[in-house]
Amino acid sequence: MSAKIISGKEIAAQIREELKEEVKRLKSDHGVTPGLVTILVGEDPASISYVTAKQKTAHDLGFHSIQDNQPEDISEDDLLALIDKYNNDDSIHGILVQLPLPKHIDDSKVLEAIDPDKDVDGFHPVNVGRMVIGERCFLPCTPHGILEMLIRSGVETSGAEVVVVGRSNIVGKPIANLMIQKRDGGNATVTVCHTRTKDMAFHTKRADILIVAAGRPKVVTADMVKDGVVVIDVGVNRIGKTPEGKAILCGDVDFDAIKEKASAITPVPGGVGPMTITMLMKNTVQAAKQFAGLV
Ligand code: GUN
């Protein structure tokens, strides 16, 4: 059996069409244009490519979008002052500071300086807290995208054994939390594996749905999964370059071997990545609607 490929690219395109219509209506009926600023500190090539993709999508959807590039040696105080400026700018509804930040800057301090009502990444402790207790909030984009992919692909999560590999604040912890909640894409029984897990394969073999965000290429191999599993691969690993200089990417699972056992699997690229960016846009539209008192 060869798995159904869950195309994040196609699902994201569908959601972007819905958002485009919503942005048009917001402009024509309410005079509101969603505004997004992405702040990039330094010149890390991966961060540049992520931020460029976010800006392009925002622009294509008709947002007011600003790309704010800052030098690697910007002081923490200057970065905090910049965030304060955007917190007080009514044309900006969403603020994203691309991570990772240089070592001399405290990530937590920066993320906590963003107004929670403009925190479209969903990283501010206020939004994290609201997420955990199931209140309305900005959901972090990658876990939000994973839920949408599962729901729109018709994957049953209620009662499913879900195994998450990785315990990051950006993916592992929030997706585990969301999938135990009483909500669409939730009601699952969740296990989280991490670097201190004694026998990872024991857990991954039990999974009906396996979500891998380990940050290392091909850590999950075909012998570690059961027949019929649904695999969501969050990893984006640069494993080389084509002769033309384009990055060669692979995920955190051995896609070619696992697709012969799985019932459904996300590819890399074209899986979770496009969904993450799209959910950032969805959060920004939500922020603009909240700012205008429309929700
Ligand atoms: N770096 C890697 N992923 C993300 C993300 O989702 N948001 C931000 N701000 N930085 C990241």
Side-chain angles (χ1 to χ4, degrees):
M1 183 177 68
S2 196
K4 168 184 157 187
I5 305 299
I6 301 178
S7 170
K9 204 170 158 186
E10 281 171 22
I11 298 170
Q14 190 186 338
I15 299 171
R16 285 178 201 182
E17 282 310 308
E18 294 163 13
L19 287 174
K20 222 178 209 171
E21 289 308 309
E22 198 167 3
V23 172
K24 269 191 207 152
R25 275 198 310 276
L26 276 174
K27 281 188 191 177
S28 61
D29 298 358
H30 304 283
V32 175
T33 302
L36 174 69
V37 61
T38 50
I39 301 173
L40 174 65
V41 178
E43 293 178 0
D44 173 60
S47 293
I48 291 173
S49 88
Y50 290 137
V51 164
T52 305
K54 289 169 187 175
Q55 275 299 320
K56 182 181 178 312
T57 310
H59 182 262
D60 290 349
L61 291 181
F63 286 15
H64 163 54
S65 58
I66 299 176
Q67 169 60 41
D68 193 326
N69 292 327
Q70 295 294 328
E72 177 87 17
D73 63 355
I74 187 176
S75 71
E76 189 176 271
D77 283 349
D78 285 351
L79 184 57
L80 293 173
L82 187 68
I83 290 168
D84 194 48
K85 182 185 91 168
Y86 289 120
N87 279 341
N88 291 296
D89 179 342
D90 286 352
S91 73
I92 293 296
H93 307 105
I95 302 171
L96 178 140
V97 179
Q98 187 66 26
L99 301 176
L101 288 167
K103 292 218 162 33
H104 67 279
I105 296 177
D106 179 346
D107 288 11
S108 304
K109 223 169 163 177
V110 169
L111 297 178
E112 288 177 33
I114 297 172
D115 179 344
D117 291 335
K118 296 191 178 191
D119 169 38
V120 286
D121 248 334
F123 292 167
H124 192 289
V126 166
N127 281 313
V128 176
R130 286 182 182 150
M131 176 194 71
V132 170
I133 57 177
E135 277 185 9
R136 190 176 78 173
C137 63
F138 295 113
L139 294 181
C141 302
T142 300
H144 196 181
I146 293 171
L147 286 190
E148 279 291 329
M149 283 176 113
L150 291 171
I151 294 166
R152 291 186 187 230
S153 305
V155 175
E156 180 60 85
T157 60
S158 183
E161 291 289 337
V162 171
V163 175
V164 177
V165 179
R167 55 175 159 182
S168 70
N169 289 338
I170 295 181
V171 185
K173 283 181 202 158
I175 192 64
N177 189 275
L178 287 165
M179 292 196 76
I180 58 169
Q181 294 190 14
K182 284 187 187 168
R183 54 164 295 150
D184 274 0
N187 291 307
T189 303
V190 180
T191 303
V192 180
C193 298
H194 46 74
T195 44
R196 299 291 174 94
T197 296
K198 285 199 177 119
D199 183 354
M200 194 163 80
F202 166 80
H203 298 284
T204 57
K205 275 183 200 162
R206 291 176 30 251
D208 299 317
I209 302 172
L210 179 61
I211 300 174
V212 188
R216 275 175 294 131
K218 300 186 185 179
V219 283
V220 175
T221 47
D223 56 313
M224 294 167 70
V225 302
K226 72 176 181 187
D227 285 334
V229 63
V230 173
V231 179
I232 305 290
D233 188 351
V234 184
V236 181
N237 303 289
R238 286 167 167 72
I239 52 167
K241 278 191 177 170
T242 63
E244 300 79 42
K246 242 184 118 196
I248 300 171
L249 304 179
C250 85
D252 288 355
V253 312
D254 184 352
F255 179 86
D256 289 333
I258 291 180
K259 81 175 191 316
E260 301 306 323
K261 280 181 98 174
S263 60
I265 187 167
T266 60
V268 178
V272 175
M275 292 300 293
T276 296
I277 296 179
T278 300
M279 301 328 280
L280 174 69
M281 303 302 140
K282 200 172 168 79
N283 282 352
T284 306
V285 170
Q286 184 190 326
K289 283 163 53 180
Q290 283 172 203
F291 176 79
L294 299 172
V295 281

